[in-house]
């Protein structure tokens, strides 16, 4: 798992570890040269050679040390970078079903916070485990050479300590995972509030929302403190075990000296090794405990990478001017948003030929927006088929399918950034002339002229600096700029005033002459203009026809016509 992320960097990590070991070796050589220097002094010999050697060693030590720690930290940052990149790309390809089940704030925490934890782990933990483990083995080897029975005693103590640490380690992992989970919860709670701060303020809900954020932050603190406690215990167990080993070796070794099995020099040498063992053992234990924190982060990163995502196809070019309009067919489509939810479509069937305008009408919740979601392949039907140009959307490469479509969502989303960014979002290569032309047809020219920075004015988070009607016109302009072969408008003009609505209606009618237009309609003016009307009710198609036919033949349509949208006729 974690090793998998560090794998591409294994040689650099090894280099860093070797540099660290060399630094240590250079440090160890220093006392020897110092001894030489003093001997030279007392023997009245020249000390220049020793002095130069010492300076070289000191400088080498410093350079190697700096280089080693730079290489290791750089590698750690590279691991974080590559994980962040991979995760960000993956999250952008997530299926909408996965997003329906997740909190964006939590997903964000996984990229920003969890990946950061990998930094310390790659260097400190992996390298610490390597160098510490190596030193540990070497020291044990030396101990074995000095006296095998005493080594046995020492190993006994180590095994005992290892068992205790082994019990503690999973707890560190669990607490770290929960701490990170709480960071995710905090991210989600914050995103929820900041994403709808006006509503929160208007509802006077700041204090309650604040408590949710605080609770998550506190829980993260609590779990981190727990992890710290267990880590401290593990570290101290390691320290304690060495003290115990020292005393045991002293006692047992003393007895062996008394019986004459070993001499006192052997015992002293062995005790020195026990002393030397302390540092690498603590290093290894620290590496193991720290690894748990990283492993918890990795588990959360991998959880996100297991969410269903769309296949990674290359981006598709836009159809371009003069492309043939698309046809759309629904064949007995059945659909539910999730296993545990009621079906939303119970066998929806209709056909839309290329060109012309088709209006979808029906009560709220009938499944009209869902029709568009299925065409865009945000979801897959549970039964039946959705065909675009006679091909099942499942058999389309998703980017090619979406490149053919211009979609104005029901709430006309606008992204933070400039007006220009928003317009060019779906057609980054559109020229300035074309942009001017679309601004004209969507009646945005006046707005742009008014704005202090024109097209470069920033529109705020989710376009809060625009009015609802302006947002809708921006969304329509964005869709038209793509020159779609299929235009989907979901109540796209609901917030426009009468004058703008009439103008946009002409624009849409004009578009319908060379592309296929599907609109979820809410005004009689749109409906009467449509070439065909699909009446939807509770997830089925009740009737298809023109306004004249349906008023006479369909009771639901007649009722809708009389009450819902006909009342808003200008
Ligand atoms: P319409 O656009 O006709 O008003 P929709 O197609 O938006 O209706 O919704 C149809 C039904 O599906 C509604 O009952 C709605 O609650 C439900 N629904 C819509 N989107 C989702 C979703 N993402 N997850 C679960 N249920 C949803
Ligand atoms: Mg809808």
């Amino acid at each position: 798992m974690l090793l998998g992320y560090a794998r591409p960097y294994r040689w650099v990590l090894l280099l860093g570890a070797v540099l660290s070991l060399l630094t240590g070796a250079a440090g160890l050589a220093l006392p020897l040269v110092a001894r030489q220097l003093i001997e030279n002094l007392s023997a009245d010999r020249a000390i220049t050679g020793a002095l130069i050697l010492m300076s070289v060693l000191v400088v080498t030590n410093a350079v190697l040390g700096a280089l080693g720690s730079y290489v290791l930290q750089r590698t750690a940052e590279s691991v974080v970078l590559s994980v962040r990149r991979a995760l960000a790309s993956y999250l952008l390809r997530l299926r909408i079903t996965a997003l329906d089940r997740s909190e964006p704030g939590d997903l964000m925490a996984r990229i920003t916070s969890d990946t950061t934890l990998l930094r310390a782990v790659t260097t400190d933990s992996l390298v610490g485990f390597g160098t510490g483990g190596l030193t540990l083995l070497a020291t044990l080897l030396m101990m074995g050479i000095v006296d095998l029975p005493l080594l046995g005693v020492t190993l006994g103590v180590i095994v005992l300590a290892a068992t205790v640490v082994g019990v503690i380690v999973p707890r560190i992992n669990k607490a770290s995972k929960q701490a990170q989970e709480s960071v995710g919860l905090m991210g989600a709670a914050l995103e929820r509030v900041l994403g709808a701060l006006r509503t929160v303020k208007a509802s006077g809900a700041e204090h309650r929302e604040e408590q949710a954020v605080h609770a998550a932050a506190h829980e993260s603190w609590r779990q981190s403190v727990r992890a710290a406690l267990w880590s401290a215990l593990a570290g101290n167990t390691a320290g304690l075990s060495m003290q115990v080993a020292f005393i045991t070796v002293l006692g047992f070794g003393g007895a062996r000296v008394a019986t004459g099995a070993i001499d006192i020099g052997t015992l002293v040498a062995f005790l020195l090794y026990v002393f030397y063992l302390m540092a690498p053992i603590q290093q290894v234990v620290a590496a193991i405990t720290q690894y748990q924190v990283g492993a918890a982060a990795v588990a959360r990163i991998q959880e996100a990478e297991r969410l269903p995502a769309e296949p990674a196809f290359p981006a598709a070019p836009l159809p371009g001017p003069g492309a043939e309009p698309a046809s759309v067919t629904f064949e007995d489509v059945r659909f539910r948003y999730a296993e545990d939810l009621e079906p939303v479509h119970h066998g929806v069937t209709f056909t839309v030929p290329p060109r012309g305008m088709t209006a979808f009408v029906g009560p709220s919740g009938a499944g009209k927006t869902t029709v568009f979601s299925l065409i865009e392949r945000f979801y897959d039907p549970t039964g039946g088929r959705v065909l675009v140009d006679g091909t099942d959307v499942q058999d389309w490469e998703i980017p090619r399918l979406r490149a053919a479509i211009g979609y104005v969502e029901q709430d006309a989303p606008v992204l933070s950034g400039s007006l220009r960014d928003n317009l060019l979002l779906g057609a980054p290569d559109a020229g300035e002339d074309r942009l001017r032309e679309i601004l004209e047809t969507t009646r945005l020219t006046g707005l742009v002229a008014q704005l202090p920075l024109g097209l470069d004015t920033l529109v705020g988070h989710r376009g809060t600096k625009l009015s609802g009607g302006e947002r809708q016109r921006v969304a329509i302009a964005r869709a038209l700029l793509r020159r779609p072969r299929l235009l989907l408008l979901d109540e796209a003009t609901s917030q426009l005033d009468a004058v703008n609505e009439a103008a946009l209606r002409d624009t849409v009618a004009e578009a319908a002459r060379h592309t296929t237009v599907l609109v979820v309609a809410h005004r009689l003016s749109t409906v009467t203009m449509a070439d065909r009307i699909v009446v939807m009710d509770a997830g089925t198609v009740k009737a298809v026809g023109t306004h004249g036919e349906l008023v006479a033949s369909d009771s639901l349509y007649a009722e809708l016509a009389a009450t819902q949208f006909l009342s808003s006729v200008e």
Side-chain angles (χ1 to χ4, degrees):
M1 32 185 251
L2 178 63
L3 291 178
Y5 291 125
R7 203 182 157 72
Y9 301 98
R10 57 191 183 281
W11 298 118
V12 194
L13 276 175
L14 190 66
L15 174 68
V18 168
L19 284 174
S20 305
L21 284 176
L22 281 183
T23 317
L28 282 181
L30 213 52
L32 296 181
V33 184
R35 189 182 64 185
Q36 184 67 46
L37 187 134
I38 293 167
E39 277 174 8
N40 285 358
L41 269 179
S42 41
D44 249 358
R45 282 195 299 262
I47 55 163
T48 338
L51 264 183
I52 292 177
L53 188 57
M54 259 183 111
S55 320
V56 168
L57 274 179
V58 168
V59 172
T60 313
N61 192 354
V63 169
L64 285 184
L67 197 64
S69 96
Y70 170 72
V71 164
L72 287 179
Q73 290 190 29
R74 192 190 148 92
T75 310
E77 295 293 349
S78 304
V79 171
V80 173
L81 172 68
S82 65
V83 174
R84 276 189 182 151
R85 275 194 180 150
L87 189 56
S89 308
Y90 192 82
L91 291 185
L92 285 178
R93 285 197 290 112
L94 278 191
R95 302 229 50 182
I96 302 287
T97 32
L99 274 185
D100 283 349
R101 282 188 264 123
S102 339
E103 286 286 351
D106 177 56
L107 294 179
M108 252 146 41
R110 288 173 204 243
I111 291 196
T112 51
S113 161
D114 285 292
T115 51
T116 314
L117 292 183
L118 297 183
R119 187 185 294 153
V121 172
T122 4
T123 46
D124 300 359
S125 179
L126 289 187
V127 174
F129 195 79
T131 54
L134 224 61
T135 324
L136 183 68
L137 284 182
T139 315
L140 287 177
L141 189 75
M142 295 311 289
M143 286 175 143
I145 292 172
V146 174
D147 190 49
L148 273 179
L150 283 179
L151 173 66
V153 172
T154 316
L155 282 182
V157 177
I158 292 182
V159 167
L160 214 69
T163 316
V164 178
V165 172
V167 172
I168 292 176
V169 157
R171 291 166 203 272
I172 301 177
N173 186 308
K174 196 166 152 232
S176 301
K177 179 106 195 288
Q178 285 171 348
Q180 282 307 105
E181 223 109 83
S182 305
V183 171
L185 281 182
M186 185 175 70
L190 268 177
E191 197 264 350
R192 168 190 149 98
V193 184
L194 295 181
L197 197 54
R198 289 162 179 243
T199 309
V200 169
K201 281 186 187 297
S203 312
E206 292 98 327
H207 288 296
R208 272 168 287 143
E209 295 299 320
E210 179 189 4
Q211 271 163 22
V213 178
H214 283 194
H218 185 260
E219 179 62 13
S220 173
W221 171 84
R222 209 171 67 86
Q223 298 294 352
S224 298
V225 168
R226 246 178 72 186
L229 175 66
W230 289 119
S231 295
L233 270 181
N236 269 20
T237 306
L240 184 67
S241 74
M242 282 302 99
Q243 318 267 17
V244 172
F246 197 85
I247 295 167
T248 322
V249 166
L250 194 62
F252 184 65
R256 274 168 69 75
V257 172
T259 61
I262 53 170
D263 56 27
I264 187 91
T266 307
L267 178 61
V268 169
F270 200 92
L271 284 175
L272 272 178
Y273 279 125
V274 173
F275 194 67
Y276 283 157
L277 211 52
M278 194 90 84
I281 281 210
Q282 291 208 324
Q283 206 179 3
V284 167
V285 168
I288 292 174
T289 54
Q290 211 168 46
Y291 187 86
Q292 299 313 311
V293 180
V298 169
R300 275 172 50 80
I301 291 166
Q302 287 183 334
E303 242 170 54
E305 283 175 343
R306 272 198 301 273
L307 291 171
E310 290 168 352
F313 289 118
L318 293 176
E324 280 300 300
S327 66
V328 178
T329 307
F330 270 52
E331 284 180 2
D332 194 31
V333 169
R334 289 157 198 282
F335 175 68
R336 59 174 75 204
Y337 276 97
E339 293 290 322
D340 52 348
L341 293 177
E342 288 293 303
V344 172
H345 281 175
H346 316 259
V348 171
T349 302
F350 63 83
T351 301
V352 175
R355 264 184 211 90
M357 186 196 295
T358 306
F360 289 79
V361 302
S364 165
K368 307 179 295 292
T369 299
T370 307
V371 165
F372 287 3
S373 301
L374 291 175
I375 296 174
E376 281 272 11
R377 227 190 134 196
F378 292 153
Y379 303 92
D380 288 329
T382 40
R385 298 199 300 164
V386 176
L387 307 157
V388 171
D389 290 344
T391 306
D392 194 326
V393 287
Q394 313 251 12
D395 299 329
W396 278 79
E397 274 188 15
I398 290 178
R400 295 185 69 85
L401 172 71
R402 293 187 186 146
I405 306 174
Y407 181 21
V408 180
E409 286 179 79
Q410 189 161 2
D411 46 4
V414 169
L415 284 68
S416 101
S418 71
L419 203 51
R420 187 190 298 275
D421 293 342
N422 267 288
L423 292 166
L424 294 183
L425 187 68
D429 301 326
E432 202 66 21
D433 292 345
R434 171 102 182 117
L435 194 55
R436 297 275 154 214
E437 181 193 327
I438 292 290
L439 286 177
E440 197 66 52
T441 54
T442 50
R443 299 181 66 89
L444 281 167
T445 317
L447 169 74
V448 173
Q450 262 177 34
L451 291 171
L453 296 175
L455 278 175
D456 296 312
T457 309
L458 301 179
V459 294
H461 180 63
R462 292 192 188 151
T464 38
K465 294 183 190 166
L466 301 176
S467 77
E470 287 163 354
R471 275 203 293 280
Q472 284 191 330
R473 276 178 285 152
V474 169
I476 295 173
R478 180 197 294 148
L480 286 175
L481 264 177
R482 283 163 77 80
R483 296 185 196 276
R485 296 171 49 225
L486 173 63
L487 183 60
L488 307 177
L489 303 172
D490 197 347
E491 309 202 4
T493 55
S494 57
Q495 300 191 41
L496 299 190
D497 55 82
V499 179
N500 276 325
E501 204 269 332
L504 265 283
R505 193 194 316 146
D506 291 344
T507 302
V508 172
E510 169 61 27
R513 296 198 321 162
H514 45 87
T515 113
T516 313
V517 179
L518 270 51
V519 317
V520 172
H522 56 103
R523 297 202 200 208
L524 178 68
S525 44
T526 315
V527 179
T528 48
M529 207 171 63
D531 298 298
R532 78 195 61 72
I533 300 163
V534 178
V535 185
M536 291 194 68
D537 186 25
T540 53
V541 174
K542 273 207 71 199
V544 181
T546 59
H547 177 67
E549 291 163 9
L550 290 171
V551 167
S553 68
D554 189 74
S555 56
L556 172 67
Y557 185 81
E559 189 191 318
L560 280 172
T563 56
Q564 248 198 315
F565 48 74
L566 295 206
S567 54
S568 65
V569 192
E570 302 86 311

